[in-house]
Amino acid sequence: MNNTKTVGFTPNTPNNLLIDAGALYKNYGTDKEALIGATAGGNTFTVKSNTRTIKIDGIKGDMKYGEIITNTTVTLATNLLEVTAEILTLLLRGNIDTDSDASYDIITGKTSLDESDYLENLALVGKISGSELPVIIILKNAANTDGLK
């Protein structure tokens, strides 16, 4: 009899589910750690490696181990629900002026990037259903490159 499964569910599956939205932090694990804000609609973590095929004279077609990784792009897409001056400044890589008008925080864009535009890290902290330990995904030297939507 053929024991090939057609569904990946096992008795351990309920203990291995990444559940809930998770918390979004800037500078996680440092003295500048701060929770960024509430999200809605989930978060998406993506890792994509770009490769280049090595061409060798005399070899026809592709060969095993004939590719090298040239770079890896890591992204974390979030749907922030909260809107604060600090969050907008972070997303827009802008400057915030709280002195010009006591009623408003004035955020202005910049024409060049500074060291302060990069976070030491951006972390998504969630939980696996079968564990009390958190799952922590950390992106080092994080910066918003998609602007604000």
Side-chain angles (χ1 to χ4, degrees), residues 28-59:
Y28 185 79
T30 73
D31 58 345
K32 296 182 269 180
E33 175 180 303
L35 189 61
I36 293 177
T39 61
N43 304 291
T44 304
F45 174 67
T46 306
V47 178
K48 171 139 178 36
S49 294
N50 295 311
T51 60
R52 177 175 56 92
T53 302
I54 300 171
K55 300 295 182 190
I56 301 174
D57 291 343
I59 301 295

CSV table of all heavy atoms in Angstrom, one decimal, residues 28-59:
chain,number,residue,atom,x,y,z
A,28,TYR,N,15.1,46.4,18.7
A,28,TYR,CA,14.8,45.4,19.7
A,28,TYR,C,16.1,44.9,20.4
A,28,TYR,O,17.1,44.7,19.8
A,28,TYR,CB,14.2,44.2,19.0
A,28,TYR,CG,13.7,43.1,19.8
A,28,TYR,CD1,12.5,43.2,20.6
A,28,TYR,CD2,14.4,41.9,20.0
A,28,TYR,CE1,12.0,42.2,21.4
A,28,TYR,CE2,14.0,40.9,20.8
A,28,TYR,CZ,12.8,41.1,21.5
A,28,TYR,OH,12.4,40.0,22.3
A,29,GLY,N,16.0,44.7,21.7
A,29,GLY,CA,17.1,44.2,22.5
A,29,GLY,C,18.2,45.2,22.8
A,29,GLY,O,19.3,44.8,23.3
A,30,THR,N,18.0,46.4,22.5
A,30,THR,CA,18.9,47.5,22.8
A,30,THR,C,18.3,48.4,23.8
A,30,THR,O,17.2,48.3,24.2
A,30,THR,CB,19.3,48.3,21.5
A,30,THR,OG1,18.2,49.2,21.2
A,30,THR,CG2,19.7,47.4,20.4
A,31,ASP,N,19.2,49.4,24.3
A,31,ASP,CA,18.6,50.4,25.2
A,31,ASP,C,17.7,51.4,24.6
A,31,ASP,O,17.0,52.1,25.3
A,31,ASP,CB,19.8,51.1,26.0
A,31,ASP,CG,20.7,51.8,25.0
A,31,ASP,OD1,20.7,51.6,23.8
A,31,ASP,OD2,21.5,52.7,25.5
A,32,LYS,N,17.6,51.3,23.2
A,32,LYS,CA,16.7,52.2,22.5
A,32,LYS,C,15.4,51.5,22.0
A,32,LYS,O,14.7,51.9,21.1
A,32,LYS,CB,17.4,52.9,21.3
A,32,LYS,CG,18.5,53.8,21.7
A,32,LYS,CD,19.1,54.4,20.5
A,32,LYS,CE,20.3,53.6,20.1
A,32,LYS,NZ,21.0,54.1,18.9
A,33,GLU,N,15.2,50.2,22.6
A,33,GLU,CA,14.1,49.4,22.1
A,33,GLU,C,12.7,50.2,22.3
A,33,GLU,O,12.5,50.8,23.4
A,33,GLU,CB,14.1,48.1,22.9
A,33,GLU,CG,12.9,47.2,22.6
A,33,GLU,CD,12.9,46.0,23.5
A,33,GLU,OE1,13.9,45.2,23.4
A,33,GLU,OE2,11.9,45.7,24.2
A,34,ALA,N,11.9,50.1,21.3
A,34,ALA,CA,10.5,50.7,21.5
A,34,ALA,C,9.5,49.9,20.6
A,34,ALA,O,9.8,49.5,19.5
A,34,ALA,CB,10.6,52.2,21.0
A,35,LEU,N,8.4,49.7,21.2
A,35,LEU,CA,7.3,49.1,20.4
A,35,LEU,C,6.8,50.2,19.5
A,35,LEU,O,6.6,51.3,19.8
A,35,LEU,CB,6.1,48.7,21.4
A,35,LEU,CG,5.0,47.9,20.9
A,35,LEU,CD1,5.5,46.6,20.4
A,35,LEU,CD2,4.0,47.7,22.0
A,36,ILE,N,6.6,49.8,18.2
A,36,ILE,CA,6.2,50.8,17.2
A,36,ILE,C,4.8,51.1,17.2
A,36,ILE,O,4.4,52.3,17.3
A,36,ILE,CB,6.7,50.4,15.8
A,36,ILE,CG1,8.2,50.4,15.7
A,36,ILE,CG2,6.1,51.3,14.7
A,36,ILE,CD1,8.8,49.9,14.4
A,37,GLY,N,3.9,50.1,17.1
A,37,GLY,CA,2.4,50.4,17.2
A,37,GLY,C,1.6,49.2,16.7
A,37,GLY,O,2.2,48.2,16.2
A,38,ALA,N,0.3,49.4,16.8
A,38,ALA,CA,-0.6,48.3,16.5
A,38,ALA,C,-0.7,48.1,15.0
A,38,ALA,O,-0.6,49.1,14.2
A,38,ALA,CB,-2.0,48.6,17.0
A,39,THR,N,-0.8,46.9,14.5
A,39,THR,CA,-1.0,46.6,13.1
A,39,THR,C,-2.4,45.9,12.9
A,39,THR,O,-3.0,45.5,13.8
A,39,THR,CB,0.1,45.6,12.6
A,39,THR,OG1,0.0,44.4,13.3
A,39,THR,CG2,1.5,46.3,12.7
A,40,ALA,N,-2.8,45.9,11.7
A,40,ALA,CA,-4.1,45.3,11.3
A,40,ALA,C,-3.9,44.6,10.0
A,40,ALA,O,-3.2,45.1,9.1
A,40,ALA,CB,-5.2,46.3,11.2
A,41,GLY,N,-4.4,43.4,9.8
A,41,GLY,CA,-4.2,42.7,8.5
A,41,GLY,C,-3.0,41.9,8.4
A,41,GLY,O,-2.7,41.4,7.3
A,42,GLY,N,-2.2,41.7,9.5
A,42,GLY,CA,-1.1,40.9,9.4
A,42,GLY,C,0.2,41.5,8.9
A,42,GLY,O,0.2,42.7,8.5
A,43,ASN,N,1.3,40.8,9.0
A,43,ASN,CA,2.6,41.2,8.6
A,43,ASN,C,3.2,40.1,7.7
A,43,ASN,O,2.9,39.0,7.8
A,43,ASN,CB,3.5,41.4,9.8
A,43,ASN,CG,2.9,42.3,10.8
A,43,ASN,OD1,2.9,43.5,10.6
A,43,ASN,ND2,2.5,41.8,11.9
A,44,THR,N,4.0,40.5,6.7
A,44,THR,CA,4.6,39.6,5.8
A,44,THR,C,6.1,39.7,5.8
A,44,THR,O,6.6,40.8,5.5
A,44,THR,CB,4.1,39.8,4.3
A,44,THR,OG1,2.7,39.8,4.3
A,44,THR,CG2,4.6,38.8,3.4
A,45,PHE,N,6.8,38.6,6.1
A,45,PHE,CA,8.2,38.6,6.1
A,45,PHE,C,8.7,37.8,4.9
A,45,PHE,O,8.2,36.7,4.7
A,45,PHE,CB,8.7,37.9,7.4
A,45,PHE,CG,10.2,37.6,7.5
A,45,PHE,CD1,11.1,38.7,7.6
A,45,PHE,CD2,10.7,36.3,7.5
A,45,PHE,CE1,12.4,38.4,7.7
A,45,PHE,CE2,12.0,36.1,7.6
A,45,PHE,CZ,12.9,37.1,7.7
A,46,THR,N,9.6,38.4,4.1
A,46,THR,CA,10.1,37.8,2.9
A,46,THR,C,11.6,37.8,2.8
A,46,THR,O,12.2,38.8,3.1
A,46,THR,CB,9.5,38.5,1.6
A,46,THR,OG1,8.1,38.6,1.8
A,46,THR,CG2,9.8,37.9,0.3
A,47,VAL,N,12.1,36.7,2.4
A,47,VAL,CA,13.6,36.6,2.1
A,47,VAL,C,13.7,36.1,0.7
A,47,VAL,O,13.2,35.0,0.3
A,47,VAL,CB,14.3,35.6,3.1
A,47,VAL,CG1,15.8,35.5,2.7
A,47,VAL,CG2,14.1,36.0,4.5
A,48,LYS,N,14.4,36.8,-0.2
A,48,LYS,CA,14.6,36.4,-1.6
A,48,LYS,C,16.1,36.5,-1.9
A,48,LYS,O,16.7,37.6,-1.8
A,48,LYS,CB,13.8,37.3,-2.5
A,48,LYS,CG,14.1,37.1,-4.0
A,48,LYS,CD,12.9,37.1,-4.9
A,48,LYS,CE,13.2,37.0,-6.3
A,48,LYS,NZ,14.2,36.1,-6.7
A,49,SER,N,16.6,35.4,-2.4
A,49,SER,CA,18.0,35.3,-2.8
A,49,SER,C,18.1,35.4,-4.3
A,49,SER,O,17.3,34.7,-5.0
A,49,SER,CB,18.7,34.0,-2.4
A,49,SER,OG,18.8,34.0,-1.0
A,50,ASN,N,18.9,36.3,-4.8
A,50,ASN,CA,19.2,36.4,-6.3
A,50,ASN,C,20.4,35.6,-6.6
A,50,ASN,O,21.4,35.7,-5.8
A,50,ASN,CB,19.3,37.9,-6.7
A,50,ASN,CG,18.1,38.6,-6.4
A,50,ASN,OD1,17.0,38.2,-6.8
A,50,ASN,ND2,18.2,39.8,-5.8
A,51,THR,N,20.4,34.9,-7.7
A,51,THR,CA,21.5,34.0,-8.0
A,51,THR,C,22.1,34.3,-9.4
A,51,THR,O,21.4,35.0,-10.2
A,51,THR,CB,21.1,32.5,-8.0
A,51,THR,OG1,20.1,32.3,-8.9
A,51,THR,CG2,20.7,32.1,-6.6
A,52,ARG,N,23.3,33.9,-9.6
A,52,ARG,CA,23.9,34.0,-11.0
A,52,ARG,C,24.4,32.6,-11.3
A,52,ARG,O,25.0,32.0,-10.5
A,52,ARG,CB,25.0,35.0,-10.9
A,52,ARG,CG,25.8,35.2,-12.2
A,52,ARG,CD,26.8,36.3,-12.2
A,52,ARG,NE,27.8,36.2,-11.1
A,52,ARG,CZ,29.0,35.5,-11.2
A,52,ARG,NH1,29.3,35.0,-12.4
A,52,ARG,NH2,29.8,35.5,-10.2
A,53,THR,N,24.1,32.2,-12.6
A,53,THR,CA,24.6,30.9,-13.1
A,53,THR,C,26.1,31.1,-13.6
A,53,THR,O,26.3,32.0,-14.4
A,53,THR,CB,23.7,30.4,-14.2
A,53,THR,OG1,22.4,30.3,-13.6
A,53,THR,CG2,24.2,29.1,-14.7
A,54,ILE,N,26.9,30.2,-13.1
A,54,ILE,CA,28.3,30.2,-13.6
A,54,ILE,C,28.3,29.4,-14.9
A,54,ILE,O,27.9,28.3,-15.0
A,54,ILE,CB,29.2,29.6,-12.6
A,54,ILE,CG1,29.2,30.3,-11.3
A,54,ILE,CG2,30.7,29.5,-13.1
A,54,ILE,CD1,29.9,29.7,-10.1
A,55,LYS,N,28.8,30.1,-16.0
A,55,LYS,CA,28.9,29.4,-17.3
A,55,LYS,C,30.3,28.8,-17.4
A,55,LYS,O,31.3,29.5,-17.2
A,55,LYS,CB,28.7,30.4,-18.4
A,55,LYS,CG,27.4,31.1,-18.4
A,55,LYS,CD,26.3,30.1,-18.6
A,55,LYS,CE,24.9,30.9,-18.6
A,55,LYS,NZ,23.8,29.9,-18.6
A,56,ILE,N,30.4,27.6,-17.8
A,56,ILE,CA,31.6,26.9,-17.9
A,56,ILE,C,31.7,26.3,-19.4
A,56,ILE,O,30.8,25.7,-19.8
A,56,ILE,CB,31.7,25.7,-16.9
A,56,ILE,CG1,31.6,26.2,-15.5
A,56,ILE,CG2,33.0,24.9,-17.1
A,56,ILE,CD1,31.6,25.2,-14.4
A,57,ASP,N,32.8,26.6,-20.0
A,57,ASP,CA,33.0,26.2,-21.4
A,57,ASP,C,32.9,24.6,-21.4
A,57,ASP,O,33.4,23.9,-20.6
A,57,ASP,CB,34.4,26.6,-21.9
A,57,ASP,CG,34.5,28.1,-22.1
A,57,ASP,OD1,33.5,28.7,-22.2
A,57,ASP,OD2,35.7,28.6,-22.2
A,58,GLY,N,32.2,24.2,-22.4
A,58,GLY,CA,32.0,22.7,-22.6
A,58,GLY,C,30.8,22.1,-21.9
A,58,GLY,O,30.5,21.0,-22.2
A,59,ILE,N,30.3,22.8,-20.9
A,59,ILE,CA,29.1,22.3,-20.2
A,59,ILE,C,27.8,22.8,-20.9
A,59,ILE,O,27.6,24.0,-21.1
A,59,ILE,CB,29.1,22.8,-18.7
A,59,ILE,CG1,30.4,22.3,-18.0
A,59,ILE,CG2,27.9,22.3,-18.0
A,59,ILE,CD1,30.6,20.8,-17.9
